Amino acid sequence: MHISQANHEDLNAILEIQKEAYLAEALLYNDYSIQPLTESPEDLEKAFATQVILKAEIGDQLVGSVRARQMDNVCLIGRLSVNPKFQHQGIGSALLCACENVFPDVVCCELFTGSKSIANLRLYERLGYKPVKEEVLSPQVTLIYLRKSCLPSYRAKRQLGQ
């Protein structure tokens, strides 16, 4: 597997994988109007202009992506998407870890997922993300925000394998 920054030619494949990957979330919440499913090519173009989009490839096949942007001293991570045929192979973990190094001067990374998305929560917590707040969007949807320290001392320990 190879992770690198996405280019303009990758956008259609990224959007296709994102929509496939987020169908499970839509089913879980019985809501097919979630943003990852309704995002248009034009919306993705705008995101491409303002965010870093990383892609994961196996051979010449794009199998996943994630987005990151810096706000003040925080790396905001979103739209982690892995082709359902390639899930549970460490691709999502690798994309998240790569995101954590995109902005070397941030003090933490933050992301969110729905409270019913138990597999996502397990993945994030296993990678060191800790819940920091909840946001109720509707009776069906509560978002859980998670944060992970990215201070230099933490990065040094991670590079040493501790």
Side-chain angles (χ1 to χ4, degrees):
M1 175 181 48
H2 176 71
I3 295 177
S4 61
Q5 192 163 339
N7 56 54
H8 194 265
E9 292 75 32
D10 298 317
L11 296 184
N12 286 336
I14 287 170
L15 196 55
E16 184 178 316
I17 288 169
Q18 174 182 299
K19 290 185 179 199
E20 288 177 27
Y22 276 88
L23 276 175
E25 293 294 299
L27 183 62
L28 184 62
Y29 293 93
N30 194 28
D31 184 356
Y32 293 85
S33 67
I34 60 176
Q35 288 181 343
L37 291 181
T38 62
E39 186 171 35
S40 70
E42 295 78 23
D43 294 333
L44 183 53
E45 289 275 351
K46 290 177 188 171
F48 182 74
T50 61
Q51 300 175 29
V52 173
I53 302 178
L54 300 179
K55 63 181 177 179
E57 296 174 292
I58 296 177
D60 61 354
Q61 184 177 6
L62 199 148
V63 296
S65 69
V66 68
R67 303 180 197 181
R69 65 185 172 92
Q70 184 173 347
M71 182 184 292
D72 300 322
N73 60 356
V74 178
C75 174
L76 301 174
I77 298 173
R79 303 282 165 89
L80 176 62
S81 305
V82 177
N83 179 321
K85 295 174 189 167
F86 291 89
Q87 290 178 0
H88 309 291
Q89 298 179 28
I91 296 166
S93 296
L95 282 164
L96 279 177
C97 290
C99 258
E100 294 168 6
N101 295 306
V102 168
F103 305 108
D105 57 334
V106 298
V107 298
C108 65
C109 293
E110 187 172 288
L111 49 77
F112 65 86
T113 193
S115 62
K116 296 178 187 176
S117 302
I118 303 303
N120 293 350
L121 288 166
R122 267 197 306 260
L123 168 68
Y124 302 148
E125 289 179 1
R126 187 178 39 137
L127 294 174
Y129 287 82
K130 306 274 188 241
V132 292
K133 72 176 181 177
E134 293 185 8
E135 179 182 1
V136 177
L137 297 183
S138 71
Q140 298 93 337
V141 180
T142 298
L143 296 180
I144 308 290
Y145 288 80
L146 300 101
R147 188 174 292 155
K148 180 178 182 177
S149 173
C150 291
L151 294 172
S153 61
Y154 171 79
R155 284 192 173 119
K157 285 179 184 176
R158 190 175 67 203
Q159 288 173 349
L160 293 173
Q162 298 176 345

